[in-house]
Amino acid sequence: MIFLGLIVALAAIVAGVAVVLDNTGSAQMTVFGDEVPGITAEWQVFLTGSVVAIVLMAGVMVATLGFRRAMNMRRELRDLRDEHEESLQTLELERRKLQQALAQARRGMDDQASVPAQRGVPG
């Protein structure tokens, strides 16, 4: 994939250089109805368009990276929320088991305490 990207980039550079070298005639560039000073040849117009395209692509890349980062953060937060919920459920289950064990232990102690008292009573 990287190799393919490099080949496409190299082809774009070669095409750009060919356009610049072929266009030697005079040109006039206007933006919003005003003439742009310093641009008098067709190759200068082409280079200006190339710079604008590069800035556009950089902006799209920054937006894409920001979107991707936001999606990763949302996914990570969702995973953490799910993990936290599972942890709470596990702790709640463990708490119930410990309460049941404590209740059984207390009942066992009450039974042991009442049994010797009954044996000591002469009948």
Side-chain angles (χ1 to χ4, degrees):
M1 200 66 165
I2 294 173
F3 182 69
L4 180 63
L6 290 174
I7 288 176
V8 170
L10 182 62
I13 290 171
V14 168
V17 169
V19 168
V20 168
L21 293 177
D22 266 355
N23 292 313
T24 57
S26 65
Q28 182 179 3
M29 185 171 151
T30 58
V31 177
F32 301 116
D34 295 329
E35 186 177 328
V36 178
I39 296 182
T40 58
E42 289 178 0
W43 66 270
Q44 291 172 333
V45 174
F46 176 78
L47 286 180
T48 303
S50 297
V51 168
V52 170
I54 289 171
V55 170
L56 173 69
M57 289 175 53
V60 169
M61 285 177 51
V62 167
T64 302
L65 291 174
F67 179 74
R68 197 174 291 162
R69 182 173 183 233
M71 292 303 292
N72 287 339
M73 290 293 288
R74 286 184 186 144
R75 185 179 309 118
E76 185 176 334
L77 283 173
R78 184 175 4 103
D79 291 344
L80 286 173
R81 215 176 291 127
D82 292 345
E83 184 179 316
H84 178 70
E85 187 66 32
E86 288 176 14
S87 176
L88 286 176
Q89 290 174 353
T90 302
L91 288 173
E92 182 64 29
L93 182 63
E94 186 176 334
R95 184 179 69 86
R96 287 181 191 154
K97 287 180 181 179
L98 288 173
Q99 284 177 339
Q100 289 174 354
L102 179 63
Q104 287 176 352
R106 285 183 178 165
R107 272 183 264 149
M109 289 177 64
D110 288 345
D111 291 343
Q112 289 177 359
S114 63
V115 170
Q118 292 174 355
R119 287 185 191 167
V121 175

